[in-house]
Amino acid sequence: MLASTSSAAATAAITTHTNTNASCARRRNFSSDVQHHQRKRNTNNSEFRRQRRQKRRNNGDSTLFVTRAESGGFGDGITNNGLTREISEDVDTVLLDCDGVIWHGDALVPGAKKAVDYLRETLQKRVFFVTNNATKTREYYQWKFSELGMEVDVNHIYTAAFASASYLSAIGFNNTHGSTTTKDGSSSSNKKIYVVGEQGLVRELEECDVGDIVGGVYEAVSCTSSDWEEMHEWTGGDAENDHDDDSRVDAVVVGQDTSFTFAKLAYASYLIQKGAKFIATNPDAGDRLGKEKLLMPGAGPIVKAIETASGRAPDVICGKPGKYMFDAIMSHSHGDPQRTMVIGDRMDTDVKFGKDNGARYSVLVLTGANKMKDVEENEDESKQPSFVVGSLAEACGIPFDPNEPTQRVGERANMAKNYPVGDGTVHDLWASGDDDMDDDDDDYDDDDFIPAT
Amino acid sequence: MLASTSSAAATAAITTHTNTNASCARRRNFSSDVQHHQRKRNTNNSEFRRQRRQKRRNNGDSTLFVTRAESGGFGDGITNNGLTREISEDVDTVLLDCDGVIWHGDALVPGAKKAVDYLRETLQKRVFFVTNNATKTREYYQWKFSELGMEVDVNHIYTAAFASASYLSAIGFNNTHGSTTTKDGSSSSNKKIYVVGEQGLVRELEECDVGDIVGGVYEAVSCTSSDWEEMHEWTGGDAENDHDDDSRVDAVVVGQDTSFTFAKLAYASYLIQKGAKFIATNPDAGDRLGKEKLLMPGAGPIVKAIETASGRAPDVICGKPGKYMFDAIMSHSHGDPQRTMVIGDRMDTDVKFGKDNGARYSVLVLTGANKMKDVEENEDESKQPSFVVGSLAEACGIPFDPNEPTQRVGERANMAKNYPVGDGTVHDLWASGDDDMDDDDDDYDDDDFIPAT
């Protein structure tokens, strides 16, 4: 029963592993659910230890090992070895989600830098940073890591924007330079891409040289039925002769776009109905922001709108939990899923990302979106974590203090001026075309990426 | 077998009923599918007649009776009695879809006016005009009918906008006048409604006096994460004290909105997450417009976006094929579904509207969206018509000539200036508040409407 892979059985077997010397006052902060489990454990301590030993013997699938419970219980100084044995012995590659794991917005999560250092330097694991954000470039994230005290190779950063560019490259979207030029000097054989998304996504697609980004409807908001009927003319399309039409658009890439309009909805669905590839950066409904932690719309609602309007599902959803990004990272790193651990704060993206794609361990940390309650109520095996730990630090056996002061983006005064990240925008240097930047990254090899199957 | 209700069996039993004296030259215009059925019929004429007799004996469910086939076959002068027997003997109420049945855009469908006259005057049936359009008022449609030569009582017109207003009224959204006023004279107990939709929808909600329409994000396009975090403040909301908060919005009504923006998406989903009712006018993905007949986005994509962003499905989808509008019409007219015929050009809205709600007959006409091929390929019993007829005229036994010149909106010169309907906009007189208009329509009784169950 304990090794059962059914989520119901796994949920029933949830136990907590905390220092029994913790003060009662502290313990009262834990959720009532967890208190219940603690009481059960305390009344039968040897049975608890036996169960725990048995659980740790199997590979961790559907077995929950809680090093820390609900957020209310943080800060009582309890430590243990976390998942250090599993990481040391069973995995070579660790895929780390960023927001909710390494940082909260602009602030480092306590202990996260130490944990990353431990994984990369002490244990010498290959660590990749994997985010479903498709509004920023990898260079932006490299800068953000640097601001938070970590030096990260841009090739170890996977965003949903980069995954989208990689996918396009893998299916033959690669600019030709100079070989086939028209009279006005443009490369006529380049694929044409229409983007519904932020400037960071546009910039990433340009960086990866996967096609020419077309302007589309620019700043237009509305699209009346007359506009729609004229769309055929102003796109220069011709239903019978699409194959030799210079104005044909080959792909529509759709991500979160805080300036989404009906005109973009109409134009994107028009192009998809005309045969353009439909690439979704990621499926996230949104991020929980603000005092009330309500969902602010992400890429998901925009993708759904265009899917409904065009009558066609995306050809690929590039980000987590999809197969494409996982396979791309494995291929790039010559990694083995069975020697890979995924660590994230969301069951529907991070945990599912690992489970659906055959990772050895899929670990949920409780510093972000999902809480212990979500795990206990979950009935979907594909979202059931192998382990639940309080934080990334604790997964690495590092003490976690939620009140520990941490580095914030922008505290390095000289850089701060250039990156007004607080409002979700990115400085022009990274967000839009800049001729001074080196477009050729020799370390990056498109051939390492494979298309989704 | 012939009376089987399975759609596969029904499809297999499709036969055509045309004048066998039609010229071969004409007949070649029919689709190959229909030619196939014709050949089968011609080789075994007595068997065909026997089958037809047997089919006409049952109530018509899942039995197809084709008076005219694909559009290519129109205009050969073939006539018969259509569905006159069924209408005369079996039904009291006829629900007519408008676009694709009575008109195509601004032009009357040939024979449609004669058919409406026949139904209303000769047969004395109760005829209701039912459209999923939620961008225009009923008064606009009354004017449009008048332009096309038909005098129609506004209470016999059901739009998805009006159905939404009726639904709100049925669940207690009814303005109080004068009884509870604040210092500034506004009625403080009125419900507050945020509308994602065209001015015609706003106008209909105002006409029906179901609440105060709030401005929301007005002309804003974008909503950054900072804007989102501030939304709580500028809406004046307070998570703990929503019940006594003047700024709380009670319902969000969502329809097609050709000026939809990310700011509207964010605000609507914010309000729904805060507990506002979520009313969708209609589920249509869009209308097929332009030379290429591609889908221009309708209400569906916008509803889906808000549903995905808020994590909540609409509380009700008011238009066809939903239960609410059907029940409202039955209640209003004291009608009996088993004495009701629905006639429309779309299987997924009109036919399903009749089938799902227990109408005696659900009839597809071929002058609009769906063709014979769609019926033959359909495997969803709820979208399978009782009868397929070439046109509304032919359903009434009236000859149909697709090339017959018909009335167009705007041909009455004096009125035309006031109604620039061609671009989808509506003149201010109907579309927005106009104090000269009489808000009280004594013929209209909210109590006649019942909520969806």
Side-chain angles (χ1 to χ4, degrees), chain A residues 356-368:
Chain A
D356 281 358
N357 295 296
R360 177 69 166 268
Y361 299 117
S362 299
V363 179
L364 181 74
V365 295
L366 299 176
T367 45

Side-chain angles (χ1 to χ4, degrees), chain A residues 2 22 38 78 134 176 199 265 277 338 352 360 391 431:
Chain A
L2 289 170
Q38 285 181 319
I78 300 164
T176 55
Q199 280 300 309
L265 168 63
K277 293 265 176 200
Q338 266 301 306
K352 192 171 167 62
R360 177 69 166 268
S391 62

Side-chain angles (χ1 to χ4, degrees), chain A residues 232 262 273-274 292 295, chain B residues 232 260 262 273-274 292 295:
Chain A
H232 180 78
F262 190 81
Q273 289 178 80
K274 293 274 286 175
E292 302 170 276
L295 271 174
Chain B
H232 180 77
F260 184 58
F262 189 81
Q273 289 178 80
K274 292 275 286 175
E292 302 169 277
L295 271 174

Side-chain angles (χ1 to χ4, degrees), chain B residues 1 8 13 23-24 67-68 123 127 154 198 262 280 297 315 322 328 335 352 371 373-374 376 438:
Chain B
M1 268 305 284
S23 75
C24 286
T67 62
R68 196 66 88 246
L123 297 186
V127 175
V154 77
E198 301 285 326
F262 189 81
D315 294 296
K352 191 171 167 62
K371 299 300 175 193
K373 183 169 158 286
D374 303 315
E376 290 173 332
D438 181 10

Side-chain angles (χ1 to χ4, degrees), chain A residues 222-224 226 228 232 257-262 270 273-274 289 292 294-297 301 304-305 308-309 423, chain B residues 222-226 228 232 257-262 270 273-274 289 292 294-297 301 304-305 308-309 423:
Chain A
S222 68
C223 174
T224 65
S226 307
W228 176 263
H232 180 78
D257 181 353
T258 56
S259 299
F260 184 59
T261 61
F262 190 81
Y270 175 85
Q273 289 178 80
K274 293 274 286 175
L289 299 180
E292 302 170 276
L294 300 182
L295 271 174
M296 173 178 164
K304 269 290 170 195
T308 307
D423 64 353
Chain B
S222 68
C223 174
T224 65
S225 46
S226 309
W228 176 262
H232 180 77
D257 181 353
T258 56
S259 299
F260 184 58
T261 61
F262 189 81
Y270 174 85
Q273 289 178 80
K274 292 275 286 175
L289 298 180
E292 302 169 277
L294 300 182
L295 271 174
M296 174 178 164
K304 269 289 170 198
T308 307
D423 64 353

Side-chain angles (χ1 to χ4, degrees), chain A residues 3 15 120 159 220 269 294 321 381 391 402 406 415-416 422:
Chain A
T15 57
R120 297 200 300 180
T159 69
S269 64
L294 300 182
E381 176 59 22
S391 62
T406 60
M415 294 294 284

